[in-house]
Amino acid sequence: MSDVYSATVLFEHPLNEKMRTWLRLEFLLQQLYRHPALSEIANALTFFRTLADLLDVLERGDIRSEMIKELDRQQQKLLQWEGVPGVDSERVSALRTDFKRCATTLMAAPRLGQALREDRLIGAVRQRLSIPGGGCSFDLPALHIWLHLPQPQRDAQVDGWLQTLDPLNAALTRILDIVRHSGPFKNQISLNGFFQDNAEEGDLLRLRIPVEHQLYPQVSGHKTRYAIRFLSLDSENGVVPNRLPFELACC
């Protein structure tokens, strides 16, 4: 994730497998929900390929249970803030209600992605995506004729597919939003392109790096400790400053 055209670039790195999966889901859902009208084979194949990737991720582990547990955990954390002097109790109560509603909706929803797996058109396209050039009209005649249907009809079908993902998207958006706001950014200095610290049972590292240096972080670690090595985009001629100021949040 990056702040395009700004003075800094924002990088995020998961510190456990759960967060790794959630960030991948967010990445895929953002692409799906921001899709243009599927009016030609190029953007249609991009949409269906993203959809197939999402289904592959959803088939790994019990994502719904993990999210419901996290929503419940966040509700309990917010409960501790109610009644504390200086805390906006109405805001805390509203957040708890929102998390509870998301958890209830997610729990009541059908198996995540099941309606998409059962859709014949999605299934036909998904089967061919692993074949180089497998999206040709002779490979996918069903997609070829679908792209010649009236645009409103196609839009309605795509909207229907996305609606089945709404409970997942809503829950994930709220979880990642509160996680990202759980740790403030702090000014740090990397020496000779290296930095390490304790993670304090964190889930996510967030780094803001000045874009002028054209550097990116290579992160290793887990929920208790991590190390960051800064590398130049130009591996042959790039220079990593001896002292690199950057901002870091452990969430």
Side-chain angles (χ1 to χ4, degrees), residues 60-171:
R60 304 170 189 167
D62 193 349
I63 292 172
R64 188 206 323 241
S65 295
E66 288 291 339
M67 285 191 173
I68 291 173
K69 288 179 184 177
E70 183 65 22
L71 288 166
D72 290 340
R73 187 172 75 90
Q74 294 296 343
Q75 288 182 62
Q76 294 305 314
K77 288 175 66 176
L78 287 168
L79 183 61
Q80 299 173 9
W81 288 98
E82 287 194 347
V84 176
V87 173
D88 188 343
S89 297
E90 291 186 2
R91 174 61 175 162
V92 170
S93 179
L95 284 172
R96 288 188 62 227
T97 299
D98 194 26
F99 285 175
K100 184 177 182 180
R101 182 172 60 250
C102 279
T104 301
T105 302
L106 189 60
M107 191 179 302
R111 183 186 174 196
L112 296 178
Q114 188 60 33
L116 303 177
R117 293 186 193 93
E118 295 175 351
D119 188 275
R120 291 186 177 182
L121 179 59
I122 294 174
V125 176
R126 193 181 178 194
Q127 288 178 353
R128 291 286 177 172
L129 289 176
S130 60
I131 302 173
C136 292
S137 60
F138 59 83
D139 286 306
L140 287 170
L143 179 59
H144 189 63
I145 185 61
W146 185 79
L147 286 170
H148 285 79
L149 298 179
Q151 187 70 51
Q153 184 176 342
R154 276 178 279 140
D155 290 344
Q157 192 164 358
V158 171
D159 288 343
W161 291 335
L162 295 180
Q163 285 174 17
T164 68
L165 298 171
D166 284 348
L168 168 66
N169 189 51

Side-chain angles (χ1 to χ4, degrees), residues 25-240:
L25 285 173
E26 179 191 47
F27 173 71
L28 294 168
L29 286 168
Q30 286 178 345
Q31 293 179 67
L32 290 174
Y33 277 88
R34 294 173 185 174
H35 75 279
L38 304 187
S39 57
E40 55 187 30
I41 189 65
N43 60 17
L45 282 178
T46 298
F47 177 85
F48 283 106
R49 185 169 285 109
T50 303
L51 200 57
D53 287 345
L54 178 74
L55 292 177
D56 287 342
V57 174
L58 289 176
E59 288 171 359
R60 304 170 189 167
D62 193 349
I63 292 172
R64 188 206 323 241
S65 295
E66 288 291 339
M67 285 191 173
I68 291 173
K69 288 179 184 177
E70 183 65 22
L71 288 166
D72 290 340
R73 187 172 75 90
Q74 294 296 343
Q75 288 182 62
Q76 294 305 314
K77 288 175 66 176
L78 287 168
L79 183 61
Q80 299 173 9
W81 288 98
E82 287 194 347
V84 176
V87 173
D88 188 343
S89 297
E90 291 186 2
R91 174 61 175 162
V92 170
S93 179
L95 284 172
R96 288 188 62 227
T97 299
D98 194 26
F99 285 175
K100 184 177 182 180
R101 182 172 60 250
C102 279
T104 301
T105 302
L106 189 60
M107 191 179 302
R111 183 186 174 196
L112 296 178
Q114 188 60 33
L116 303 177
R117 293 186 193 93
E118 295 175 351
D119 188 275
R120 291 186 177 182
L121 179 59
I122 294 174
V125 176
R126 193 181 178 194
Q127 288 178 353
R128 291 286 177 172
L129 289 176
S130 60
I131 302 173
C136 292
S137 60
F138 59 83
D139 286 306
L140 287 170
L143 179 59
H144 189 63
I145 185 61
W146 185 79
L147 286 170
H148 285 79
L149 298 179
Q151 187 70 51
Q153 184 176 342
R154 276 178 279 140
D155 290 344
Q157 192 164 358
V158 171
D159 288 343
W161 291 335
L162 295 180
Q163 285 174 17
T164 68
L165 298 171
D166 284 348
L168 168 66
N169 189 51
L172 184 63
T173 298
R174 284 158 180 79
I175 288 172
L176 291 180
D177 184 62
I178 200 166
V179 168
R180 286 176 172 129
H181 285 86
S182 66
F185 279 99
K186 298 179 181 178
N187 293 322
Q188 304 287 0
I189 298 288
S190 135
L191 300 178
N192 298 316
F194 185 76
F195 182 87
Q196 64 180 352
D197 201 357
N198 296 322
E200 301 176 353
E201 298 292 322
D203 290 313
L204 178 68
L205 288 182
R206 310 184 77 210
L207 299 86
R208 285 199 187 117
I209 304 173
V211 71
E212 62 180 301
H213 300 297
Q214 298 185 28
L215 302 175
Y216 62 92
Q218 188 177 73
V219 183
S220 60
H222 45 77
K223 63 181 181 180
T224 58
R225 191 164 181 79
Y226 60 88
I228 305 171
R229 186 168 296 280
F230 294 91
L231 304 175
S232 175
L233 183 60
D234 185 346
S235 58
E236 294 184 1
N237 303 309
V239 176
V240 179

